[in-house]
Amino acid sequence: MKIYHAKDYQEMSRMAANLLAAQITLKPDSVLGLATGSSPLEVYDRLAMRCRQKDLDFGRITTVNLDEYKGLAPQDPQSYRYFMDTHLFSRVNIAKNRTFVPDGLEEDGAKACENYETILDSLGPVDMQLLGLGHNGHIGFNEPADAFPALTHQVDLTASTIDANRRFFTSASAVPRQAYTMGIGSIMRARKILVIVSGSAKARILKEAVNGPISPLVPASILQLHPDVTVIADEAALSLF
Ligand code: F6R
């Protein structure tokens, strides 16, 4: 695992955007695994800017997102599909039909997850997977648990995740209680993984994930076993190293 130190959120975002841009340039038909949340916002801004300047071409890129809230429609401003459309897909020359997000409107959890696994299988390994790190060590919505779930599955969100995500909703009670997420196995199949972490609130969990025992209680700790992981974290997130 390589750990790069960035001064702050802006520098972290610049470095991560550079790695993703290099991936797109070197392999223009890459499959990119993408995340939502606050961490990648500036990364997406930077990629969109480079695309606008004709410095980057998304014309042959395919994307798969990690997760989606169960019950939210694509047009719902809180859905992850809406987030991706707003922050990236509508700003770059990507073919919309090659952007995949689990179907939050599919009420049958087993079916939603099976369908997403079929899509992942048909695309082959993700070339570069971008991840944020949850305050409780989750990646995607793989919450601390007794075992590492392999495939896309339905999860009950933990109180800590609901609390962390309430800032995007009118209140904690408006945060959906369930989500569909790629499993740890699906994430670990990626050829390269890029993790971005910012802020002192993530310092303790980042240290546990990188240096602690590999345990499903800290889902991100599994990344220690992946052969090609790059972590880009800012000074505040690295303050306990
Ligand atoms: C989002 C996702 C989550 C976030 C994590 C960090 O698609 O899968 O695992 O990456 O919760 O969120 P932020 O970046 O908002 O701190």
Side-chain angles (χ1 to χ4, degrees), residues 35-40 66-67 80 132-134 138-140 167 202:
T36 62
S38 337
S39 305
L66 286 164
D67 40 19
Y80 284 174
L133 176 66
H138 74 208
I139 47 176
R167 66 192 191 280
K202 303 259 180 87

Side-chain angles (χ1 to χ4, degrees), residues 68-74 76 79 103-107 176 178-180:
E68 178 60 284
Y69 288 116
K70 183 174 180 182
L72 295 195
D76 188 315
S79 74
D103 180 2
L105 281 187
E106 176 54 69
E107 281 172 25
Q178 291 178 315
Y180 299 134

Side-chain angles (χ1 to χ4, degrees), residues 13 18 30 38 42 51 79 93 141 153 166 179 181 183 225 235:
S13 306
N18 283 346
S30 289
S38 337
E42 192 174 317
C51 190
S79 74
N93 65 324
F141 271 138
H153 57 289
R166 62 181 287 182
T181 182
L225 297 179
E235 263 171 26

Side-chain angles (χ1 to χ4, degrees), residues 18 23 45 48 59 65 102 154-155 157 164 171 177 179 224 229 231:
N18 283 346
Q23 174 68 39
D45 284 347
N65 261 78
Q154 177 174 316
V155 280
L157 301 180
S171 67
R177 269 28 192 180
Q224 294 177 36
V229 176
V231 178

Side-chain angles (χ1 to χ4, degrees), residues 144-170:
D146 297 337
F148 291 109
L151 301 178
T152 304
H153 57 289
Q154 177 174 316
V155 280
D156 294 328
L157 301 180
T158 61
S160 128
T161 296
I162 291 168
D163 193 47
N165 288 0
R166 62 181 287 182
R167 66 192 191 280
F168 300 114
F169 292 81
T170 45

